Amino acid sequence: MHAIRETTIALFCAVLIIGLASVGSAADNKAKSEEEIGIRHETLYDEKAVKPAHGEYGKADPGSSKPIGRAFENSPPLIPHDLTGMLPIAQSNNSCMGCHMPAAAEAMGATALPTSHFFDIKTGKDLKGELDGKRFDCMQCHVPQVNIPEPIRNTFKADFRTKKAKTSSNLLENLNEGVKAD
Ligand code: HEC
Ligand code: HEC
């Protein structure tokens, strides 16, 4: 008798769970159409109506632009100035270096390349003032900004340990922080 009653209860529960699950998914399907799933609110099967938001890059020349606050400690700083005539960066022409190499930076009023860019982080070798080849393509890490509304508001708040870290970097000094070498 007991066995039969337990089986009946188990069956009842199973039917109830399946029932609830299908009600749930039906309600979900009704609440969100495919167009509503993504950030762009367009069909996922066609690109025709998708117009990415475009903005204008800053037009202030180097020397008259205002550095943008660092996103987080030791993040690559964003480029605040106009880049007209500076791109593309080519093997024979890297205008960024013309103003940002330490020897030129002070006279240009530009932030000098940090020590980390003259150091092979992979091998730990100090390159004695020579730019690490992996740093040659500045735009791989440093990018300009446009002023357009964010599709989703960014609520990230960085924790800076010092006031100085908000406007300048010191990655090489604390790269091995917390790492114990033998
Ligand atoms: C003609 C000189 C000049 C050239 C060329 C130049 N810059 Fe600059 N850059 C500056 C100056 C000066 C500043 C400081 C802001 C200002 O005064 O406009 C600056 C600021 C920056 C900053 C922000 C630094 C900070 O502390 O926040 C970055 C990043 C940067 N430049 C990257 C680049 C890259 C990448 C290139 C090459 C595509 C480049 N710059 C080419 C002069 C130059
Ligand atoms: C592989 C990514 C990468 C490349 C390539 C790169 N940078 Fe950086 N850059 C960073 C990061 C990360 C920081 C901040 C941490 C640090 O000090 O290294 C930084 C910091 C800087 C700073 C701020 C220095 C300071 O004292 O606050 C300047 C200026 C700069 N880079 C310019 C350049 C220029 C110009 C080039 C090209 C010649 C370049 N970077 C190439 C990642 C990169």
Side-chain angles (χ1 to χ4, degrees):
M1 269 309 259
H2 272 309
I4 290 173
R5 216 171 78 200
E6 272 159 21
T7 317
T8 316
I9 291 170
L11 256 174
F12 175 74
C13 289
V15 168
L16 193 70
I17 288 165
I18 292 168
L20 282 177
S22 58
V23 167
S25 63
D28 285 347
N29 284 343
K30 213 173 156 204
K32 295 242 183 293
S33 71
E34 288 195 346
E35 286 73 21
E36 288 169 309
I37 296 171
I39 295 169
R40 61 191 197 175
H41 302 307
E42 292 292 344
T43 172
L44 305 176
Y45 302 108
D46 191 349
E47 297 285 311
K48 268 187 214 138
V50 182
K51 291 194 185 73
H54 281 295
E56 293 277 318
Y57 287 113
K59 293 240 183 300
D61 286 328
S64 58
S65 74
K66 222 174 142 282
I68 304 163
R70 305 287 161 103
F72 52 89
E73 202 171 303
N74 281 319
S75 62
L78 297 163
I79 306 174
H81 55 69
D82 187 25
L83 293 173
T84 306
M86 300 179 193
L87 300 175
I89 294 170
Q91 194 180 357
S92 56
N93 180 29
N94 186 337
S95 55
C96 320
M97 287 172 70
C99 291
H100 286 278
M101 281 297 267
E106 201 184 335
M108 301 306 296
T111 318
L113 291 176
T115 45
S116 62
H117 293 28
F118 303 97
F119 196 86
D120 187 343
I121 287 182
K122 219 170 166 187
T123 58
K125 193 170 167 220
D126 184 347
L127 302 175
K128 309 237 182 284
E130 199 182 308
L131 186 73
D132 178 14
K134 296 190 284 299
R135 303 284 188 170
F136 189 80
D137 185 11
C138 320
M139 303 287 293
Q140 195 186 323
C141 306
H142 299 278
V143 289
Q145 295 290 286
V146 290
N147 196 4
I148 49 170
E150 303 151 300
I152 292 178
R153 202 165 71 84
N154 187 352
T155 56
F156 172 76
K157 282 220 166 27
D159 243 348
F160 292 94
R161 287 172 292 184
T162 62
K163 201 163 167 241
K164 197 169 173 237
K166 288 186 181 179
T167 52
S168 106
S169 67
N170 66 340
L171 184 69
L172 207 57
E173 285 165 37
N174 55 25
L175 188 64
N176 287 330
E177 211 171 69
V179 179
K180 279 204 184 96
D182 292 330

